[in-house]
Amino acid sequence: MAVAFRANPLAAGEQRELVVEADGGSRGNPGTAGSGTVVIDPVTGKVLAELGLYVGIASNNVAEYKAMIAGVTKAIALDPDAALHVRMDSKLVVEQMSGRWKIKHPDMADLAAEARGILSGTPVSFEWIPR
């Protein structure tokens, strides 16, 4: 996934932003699942963190949520005051976390609640990146 980098550093008093790019998948659905995420400084383009997770036997959607949760958790640990911009190819996660789609499946509801708890007080935006 490409990231648009800022031409200029932050102005005085401007909030830092971190980009979280996350993806997950499973072989079978459900099946053996994993996810990965990177945290990027959009000013420099530098990758600040890379994470890979074995999710276990799970659906693609669970793996996508797990990737996003790992990414935002790491980004907040790196800079608790930063705004986050999450980029994913999972339309389901993006739309549910943005509040535009209802969450009907109990597993997704639990993961969304976990993510909202982690993100409480953190400015965050979600962007869907088509495959």
Side-chain angles (χ1 to χ4, degrees):
M1 293 180 195
V3 176
F5 300 111
R6 294 174 55 121
N8 301 313
L10 295 174
E14 190 177 0
Q15 186 173 33
R16 179 182 189 193
E17 180 181 74
L18 295 177
V19 173
V20 174
E21 293 188 351
D23 197 10
S26 70
R27 288 188 181 240
N29 197 20
T32 303
S35 51
T37 187
V38 293
V39 179
I40 301 167
D41 180 339
V43 174
T44 64
K46 181 179 178 184
V47 174
L48 304 175
E50 295 178 273
L51 303 166
L53 301 169
Y54 172 70
V55 176
I57 303 300
S59 70
N60 287 324
N61 293 331
V62 168
E64 294 275 10
Y65 260 105
K66 293 283 189 174
M68 182 268 299
I69 289 168
V72 299
T73 299
K74 184 63 174 181
I76 291 168
L78 290 169
D79 186 346
D81 298 320
L84 305 182
H85 182 72
V86 178
R87 298 167 43 102
M88 301 181 71
D89 69 357
S90 172
K91 190 162 184 85
L92 178 101
V93 174
V94 168
E95 295 300 324
Q96 287 181 343
M97 289 302 300
S98 297
R100 292 185 290 267
W101 288 6
K102 291 181 182 179
I103 305 172
K104 298 176 184 176
H105 194 282
D107 291 344
M108 300 306 108
D110 290 345
L111 289 165
E114 179 183 351
R116 286 191 180 102
I118 292 164
L119 290 165
S120 179
T122 300
V124 62
S125 60
F126 290 88
E127 180 182 4
W128 176 58
I129 307 297
R131 290 186 225 182

